[in-house]
């Protein structure tokens, strides 16, 4: 299922075990991951966060690598596996695994931009047991609101013209 970044930011996260965050805005992807971990930590106090990349798949396939985390650890702690996808070679393997297995851990996949025809993107968008969030560059309005909110939280007074000038100078 597809949810918007703002829904995720409000911690309106459905009760699912697999997430896909993709797009050119890597800062927003990392923000999504942080928010998701915070949301999961509300349910479970102790979690193990494990980072895996495509490089780790050179020694074994996705299923054997991921199956190590499908059970809680010795102390009963749940696992969160963050999988950084550099290329789309493992997409079919991931979708096949998710379609056939019920996860007792949380899987977070992060990727660069994915085409609409990507098997991974289509699987996450069409599945009711998964969540996908597209992380595109901020619009001018979002950027201005982010600057305004950050400065307000720091109790720095600034007018709209100065916010606009900052927005023009700062990158996304």
């Amino acid at each position: 299922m597809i949810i918007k970044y703002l829904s995720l930011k409000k911690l309106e996260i459905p009760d699912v075990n697999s997430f896909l965050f993709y797009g050119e805005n890597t800062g927003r992807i990392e923000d999504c991951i942080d928010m998701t971990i915070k949301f999961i930590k509300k349910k479970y106090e102790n979690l193990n966060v494990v980072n895996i990349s495509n490089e780790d798949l050179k020694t074994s396939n996705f299923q054997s690598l991921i199956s190590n985390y499908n059970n809680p650890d010795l102390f009963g702690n749940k696992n969160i596996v963050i999988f950084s996808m550099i290329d789309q070679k493992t997409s079919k393997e991931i979708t096949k695994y998710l379609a056939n297995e019920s996860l007792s851990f949380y899987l977070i996949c992060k990727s660069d931009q994915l085409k609409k025809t990507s098997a991974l993107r289509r699987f996450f968008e069409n599945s009711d047991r998964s969540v996908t969030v597209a992380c595109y560059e901020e619009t001018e309005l979002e950027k201005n609101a982010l600057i305004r909110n950050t400065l307000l939280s720091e109790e720095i007074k600034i007018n709209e013209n100065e916010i606009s000038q900052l927005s023009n100078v700062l990158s996304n």
Side-chain angles (χ1 to χ4, degrees):
M1 92 184 58
I2 304 169
I3 65 172
K4 301 221 180 272
Y5 172 75
L6 293 176
S7 294
L8 191 73
K9 196 166 183 170
K10 294 176 187 172
L11 291 179
E12 297 171 4
I13 301 173
D15 192 21
V16 297
N17 285 31
S18 55
F19 301 86
L20 171 65
F21 304 117
Y22 71 93
E24 63 267 2
N25 192 335
T26 56
R28 188 172 271 188
I29 290 172
E30 294 303 322
D31 195 32
C32 287
I33 292 170
D34 291 342
M35 287 185 287
T36 304
I37 290 172
K38 285 178 187 173
F39 177 76
I40 296 168
K41 280 188 176 182
K42 287 183 178 180
K43 290 182 177 183
Y44 307 100
E45 285 184 32
N46 298 322
L47 293 167
N48 299 318
V49 179
V50 180
N51 289 294
I52 297 175
S53 71
N54 280 33
E55 287 295 315
D56 297 321
L57 294 176
K58 289 183 177 178
T59 57
S60 63
N61 66 14
F62 181 79
Q63 184 171 354
S64 62
L65 187 64
I66 233 53
S67 65
N68 296 330
Y69 305 105
N70 209 9
N71 295 315
D73 69 6
L74 185 61
F75 303 105
N77 298 330
K78 283 257 189 194
N79 295 305
I80 299 175
V81 176
I82 301 172
F83 183 65
S84 302
M85 298 181 60
I86 299 165
D87 57 42
Q88 301 304 310
K89 292 178 184 174
T90 57
S91 293
K92 289 180 183 177
E93 196 174 352
I94 293 170
T95 56
K96 182 179 174 186
Y97 180 80
L98 292 175
N100 296 325
E101 297 287 330
S102 61
L103 303 179
S104 64
F105 67 99
Y106 291 90
L107 177 64
I108 299 174
C109 296
K110 63 179 184 175
S111 176
D112 291 338
Q113 186 61 34
L114 295 173
K115 294 180 182 177
K116 279 193 168 208
T117 57
S118 164
L120 188 68
R121 179 176 167 180
R122 282 186 301 160
F123 176 82
F124 274 86
E125 288 176 348
N126 296 327
S127 173
D128 57 344
R129 300 182 315 171
S130 302
V131 165
T132 184
V133 178
C135 298
Y136 299 118
E137 294 297 328
E138 289 94 1
T139 64
E140 199 67 32
L141 288 173
E142 290 173 327
K143 195 170 164 184
N144 289 344
L146 180 63
I147 292 168
R148 185 180 306 105
N149 293 338
T150 302
L151 294 174
L152 282 174
S153 70
E154 296 294 324
E155 299 179 4
I156 298 172
K157 294 184 181 189
I158 190 167
N159 64 39
E160 290 300 315
N161 186 32
E162 293 169 324
I163 289 174
S164 180
Q165 288 176 349
L166 273 174
S167 178
N168 291 334
V169 172
L170 298 172
S171 66
N172 283 348

